[in-house]
Each structure stands twice: as C-alpha cells, then as structure tokens.
C-alpha cells in the first residue's frame, strides 16, 4: 500500500511516517519502527496504538474515538510488522489465534560484533 505521511502534531511531537502494509475493514497491518512502544507506557512517548488510531481517524474522517484492538506487542527496541484489529470481532478471532499458537512470530536479529552464546540462550542460531 505504500508509505503514508501523517503530519498531525500529537503530544508535542510530529507523528512518524506510518507504513501501511495491508488494510481492510477488519485489520490493519503496519510496520513498527524501532524504539516506539507498542502501547502507551509511563514514558508517555508516542506509541503505535495512538499513531494507528490517528491514521484511521484522519483517513476516514472519523470525528469520534476509533476502536483499535492490540493483538500482539513488539518490544520497544524491536522493529517489525504489527497487526491491529479494527473491529472487536476481529480482535477476538486474532487473539484466539495468538493464544492457540496459530499466529506465529519470527525474529531476525542483526548484531554488530561477536555473539557470545554463553550470555544468552538462542534457538536455531545461524551464524
């Protein structure tokens, strides 16, 4: 779908460019950049839920609050693909898939320097 620029000022910060990978009536799939929290936390830094809600509000000219279901999280330092539910029905179904391990996450780590396998436990580590 391409990159969509959002220039809304929120909590004193310009919103990041949001890359929407897929969107339909039920879900929205976006790229989360590293160092952005998946959901609001005590730092009050702008988070993915807020960014995506603002995108939906602006794109569809919604005057009221927008429903957005958090299906899964990615840690703040991690960048990657996130799926959000745009309806409560989709949220329930996707949450069931996460709970039943139908929904799978794969991670690719890029490291600088030598990895010390004694410091961390790695599964299926390819060097």
């Amino acid at each position: 779908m391409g990159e969509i620029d959002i220039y809304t000022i929120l909590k004193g910060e310009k919103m990041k460019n949001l890359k929407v990978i897929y969107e339909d009536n039920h879900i929205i799939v976006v790229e989360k950049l590293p160092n952005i929290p998946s959901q609001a936390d005590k730092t009050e830094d702008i988070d993915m839920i807020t960014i995506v809600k603002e995108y939906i509000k602006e794109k569809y000219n919604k005057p009221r609050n927008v429903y957005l279901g958090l299906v899964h999280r990615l840690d703040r330092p991690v960048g990657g693909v996130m799926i959000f539910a745009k309806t409560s029905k989709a949220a329930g179904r996707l949450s069931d898939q996460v709970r039943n391990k139908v929904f799978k996450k794969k991670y690719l780590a890029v490291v600088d320097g030598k990895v010390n396998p004694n410091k961390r436990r790695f599964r299926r580590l390819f060097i």
Side-chain angles (χ1 to χ4, degrees), residues 71-102:
V71 176
H72 67 99
R73 296 184 302 263
L74 290 176
D75 291 342
R76 181 189 278 252
V78 176
V81 176
M82 288 191 74
I83 300 172
F84 294 92
K86 292 170 70 176
T87 66
S88 57
K89 189 174 189 176
R93 288 180 176 174
L94 289 167
S95 293
D96 286 344
Q97 289 181 7
V98 171
R99 189 174 24 265
N100 296 322
K101 309 251 189 256
V102 174

Side-chain angles (χ1 to χ4, degrees), residues 12-23:
E13 295 180 30
K14 187 178 272 196
M15 291 181 82
K16 305 279 185 191
N17 291 339
L18 178 66
K19 185 172 182 183
V20 177
I21 298 165
Y22 176 82
E23 181 179 6

Side-chain angles (χ1 to χ4, degrees), residues 27-123:
I27 66 170
I28 183 166
V29 181
V30 299
E31 178 183 353
K32 176 191 161 315
L33 298 176
N35 299 318
I36 298 176
S38 293
Q39 64 189 60
D41 62 13
K42 64 183 176 188
T43 66
E44 296 185 12
D45 291 342
I46 191 158
D47 60 277
M48 289 305 296
I49 291 177
T50 303
I51 292 169
V52 176
K53 277 184 172 184
E54 284 298 316
Y55 160 80
I56 291 169
K57 258 181 124 166
E58 190 172 297
K59 181 176 181 181
Y60 298 104
N61 198 24
K62 294 200 175 235
R64 295 199 178 110
N65 199 15
V66 170
Y67 176 85
L68 192 67
L70 180 65
V71 176
H72 67 99
R73 296 184 302 263
L74 290 176
D75 291 342
R76 181 189 278 252
V78 176
V81 176
M82 288 191 74
I83 300 172
F84 294 92
K86 292 170 70 176
T87 66
S88 57
K89 189 174 189 176
R93 288 180 176 174
L94 289 167
S95 293
D96 286 344
Q97 289 181 7
V98 171
R99 189 174 24 265
N100 296 322
K101 309 251 189 256
V102 174
F103 185 101
K104 300 199 186 293
K105 293 187 209 176
K106 289 188 178 185
Y107 292 88
L108 172 65
V110 179
V111 265
D112 183 21
K114 287 189 172 187
V115 175
N116 183 344
N118 298 325
K119 296 265 183 182
R120 288 294 237 159
R121 183 176 169 196
F122 295 99
R123 287 181 282 165

